[in-house]
Amino acid sequence: MSQLMFTFEEAAEEVIVEQKEHKGTPVDLLPLEDYDHILISESAGKDSMACLFHLQDIGVDMRKVELYHQSVDGGPDDPIFMDWPCTESYLEAVGQFFGIPVRYQWRDRGFKGELLRKDSITGDVYYYDDSGNKIWLPSQDKEKYRNTRLKWPALSSDLRTRWCSAAIKIDVFRRVLSNHPKFKGTKENPKKVLVVTGERREESFQRSRYLECELHSSNCQTRLVHAWRPVIDWKERDVWDAYEKRRFLPLVSYQLGWNRTSCFSCIFSTPDLWAMLREIAPERFQMLVEVEKEIGHTIDPKMSLTEKANLGSIDRLPKGEEFNLYIERAFHRSYRVEDLIMEKWHLPAGAFRRGGGPN
Ligand code: SF4
């Protein structure tokens, strides 16, 4: 079994210290052909897709590229709780289209398991290796790591209290990077890994201070890991231009009116987005309402989910045939690779909307 490199608690501390002090270590990237592995942290959202488009445009050897997706609701046997039901199907089609592998990793029981944690340790991490074997990275069961959450993540940029990004995504990816044997070289000949992520400075004050290139936190003596944010200075217009240039189909969340994509039920959703979610997925909405009651804690500390959705409008949702097609795509139909190039491209309803999504 692989050796643990970080506990979640240690990793979250480290991330927040990096955030507060902006202590990322700037690096100059190697020539891109010198990296052994190029990993795009791929949510299926527009900015990580823009990274993929950009790598292709600048002629990166796509045989070195892999898409790494953190499944926020856990593994294939865990019930869906926060995510869009279509995300992994879209990613499969994208991987086939570009001829690159999609790798999944997750924390056991995902977001819901972490939310309902009661005097227990965080869930173990799993990933599939290149042969499709499920690999287990157990969490350390020490008294000091046992605790209780039973609280939604805070609506804050502080990852210690807005725990979802750190616990469900950042730490999971870092654990896989730190433990996967294929990323381990030797002191004399370390593996060279480039991690590509899609943050853009335009998105928030927090992100405006990110470095474009820095040493990744999973860097060690046997593994040189650089983090690269190639679209850091892109405007949203540039992102949609990259889609339009290839007539590429965005994930259906954008067509339904969402501007940011990762979790369908993102805690940062605006009243309009909660109203839209309630309209198109009433069972999901009701489930979240019930969880708020069960734990006695609301996503927005100022009001219940129902009160927040009541403040919103569903006017942004498409109408008629388009609406039916998008609902079908979001909840029922699997994406096919032949769906990905649109006959006639047009901006999705969610383009250039404000609000929703992490900061
Ligand atoms: S998308 Fe929203 S709810 Fe999901 S992990 Fe990110 S901040 Fe948390």
Side-chain angles (χ1 to χ4, degrees):
M1 195 186 320
S2 306
Q3 209 40 43
L4 285 171
M5 303 298 288
F6 289 98
T7 65
F8 161 65
E9 284 75 7
E10 286 162 353
E13 282 299 323
E14 197 168 313
V15 168
I16 194 62
V17 170
E18 281 168 13
Q19 272 204 334
K20 278 196 159 160
E21 300 177 2
H22 318 295
K23 67 159 197 168
T25 307
V27 292
D28 291 325
L29 295 188
L30 305 173
L32 295 181
E33 59 274 19
D34 287 1
Y35 291 101
D36 299 305
H37 302 277
I38 299 179
L39 316 179
I40 303 179
S41 181
E42 181 60 73
S43 67
K46 63 183 186 308
D47 300 329
S48 50
M49 287 297 295
C51 292
L52 173 59
F53 298 152
H54 183 61
L55 294 194
Q56 187 188 42
D57 285 347
I58 62 174
V60 166
D61 180 354
M62 297 305 265
R63 289 170 304 180
K64 290 187 178 179
V65 176
E66 295 168 67
L67 305 181
Y68 269 72
H69 179 71
Q70 284 70 249
S71 301
V72 293
D73 286 328
D77 301 329
D78 290 311
I80 196 152
F81 183 66
M82 293 295 276
D83 212 356
W84 288 92
C86 55
T87 302
E88 293 184 2
S89 153
Y90 180 80
L91 285 174
E92 286 302 314
V94 168
Q96 269 184 49
F97 182 87
F98 286 93
I100 53 182
V102 187
R103 315 283 187 207
Y104 299 97
Q105 50 276 316
W106 64 92
R107 187 174 298 287
D108 193 28
R109 290 168 284 120
F111 191 115
K112 189 174 184 186
E114 193 63 28
L115 174 66
L116 300 183
R117 191 138 75 89
K118 197 170 173 188
D119 189 28
S120 58
I121 58 167
T122 190
D124 300 334
V125 168
Y126 292 89
Y127 69 95
Y128 290 118
D129 70 10
D130 296 5
S131 309
N133 301 311
K134 187 169 147 185
I135 307 296
W136 174 43
L137 302 175
S139 300
Q140 286 193 66
D141 191 359
K142 286 189 182 163
E143 193 52 40
K144 65 177 180 175
Y145 297 138
R146 301 183 84 81
N147 62 28
T148 298
R149 283 212 191 276
L150 295 176
K151 283 202 182 336
W152 293 94
L155 299 178
S156 155
S157 58
D158 183 334
L159 295 186
R160 285 171 301 189
T161 52
R162 196 230 31 253
W163 50 260
C164 48
S165 304
I168 306 300
K169 295 176 173 175
I170 298 168
D171 181 54
V172 170
F173 188 33
R174 175 158 36 188
R175 293 274 309 276
V176 174
L177 269 173
S178 302
N179 288 279
H180 199 310
K182 82 174 178 183
F183 301 131
K184 190 171 162 57
T186 60
K187 277 187 192 168
E188 298 69 37
N189 190 17
K191 277 288 169 71
K192 301 184 194 72
V193 181
L194 182 63
V195 173
V196 177
T197 55
E199 299 94 341
R200 290 184 299 112
R201 293 199 168 107
E202 185 188 54
E203 290 177 305
S204 68
F205 174 67
Q206 193 70 26
R207 291 183 180 202
S208 72
R209 296 182 296 176
Y210 285 0
L211 294 170
E212 179 177 340
C213 307
E214 64 188 9
L215 209 56
H216 192 272
S217 53
S218 64
N219 184 75
C220 66
Q221 286 184 325
T222 59
R223 185 175 51 239
L224 176 73
V225 190
H226 288 165
W228 183 30
R229 302 182 173 107
V231 299
I232 188 90
D233 286 319
W234 286 30
K235 303 295 179 206
E236 186 174 346
R237 177 80 260 171
D238 302 318
V239 173
W240 293 122
D241 284 351
Y243 274 92
E244 183 170 13
K245 178 176 153 188
R246 30 182 68 74
R247 288 187 284 117
F248 208 87
L249 181 71
L251 188 70
V252 72
S253 52
Y254 297 107
Q255 295 175 307
L256 281 165
W258 271 254
N259 180 261
R260 305 281 295 277
T261 287
S262 184
C263 296
F264 180 24
S265 335
C266 177
I267 54 166
F268 288 104
S269 296
T270 58
D272 284 355
L273 294 177
W274 284 123
M276 287 154 61
L277 183 148
R278 180 169 62 181
E279 177 70 15
I280 65 175
E283 299 85 11
R284 169 80 63 101
F285 187 82
Q286 195 50 39
M287 175 179 71
L288 297 169
V289 166
E290 295 302 327
V291 173
E292 279 195 338
K293 286 185 189 149
E294 184 188 329
I295 64 175
H297 186 245
T298 52
I299 295 175
D300 186 327
K302 295 194 215 78
M303 66 189 95
S304 72
L305 202 50
T306 304
E307 288 167 327
K308 195 158 184 177
N310 287 346
L311 297 175
S313 148
I314 59 167
D315 289 353
R316 194 193 303 178
L317 284 172
K319 314 268 179 313
E321 272 305 293
E322 258 193 343
F323 178 77
N324 295 338
L325 170 67
Y326 298 156
I327 292 295
E328 172 77 9
R329 202 170 256 165
F331 296 102
H332 305 297
R333 203 184 79 188
S334 293
Y335 278 94
R336 301 165 309 177
V337 68
E338 57 267 33
D339 294 330
L340 294 180
I341 299 302
M342 298 169 76
E343 210 168 295
K344 189 168 174 345
W345 195 88
H346 52 85
L347 264 184
F352 301 109
R353 303 280 183 166
R354 288 285 152 248
N359 46 25

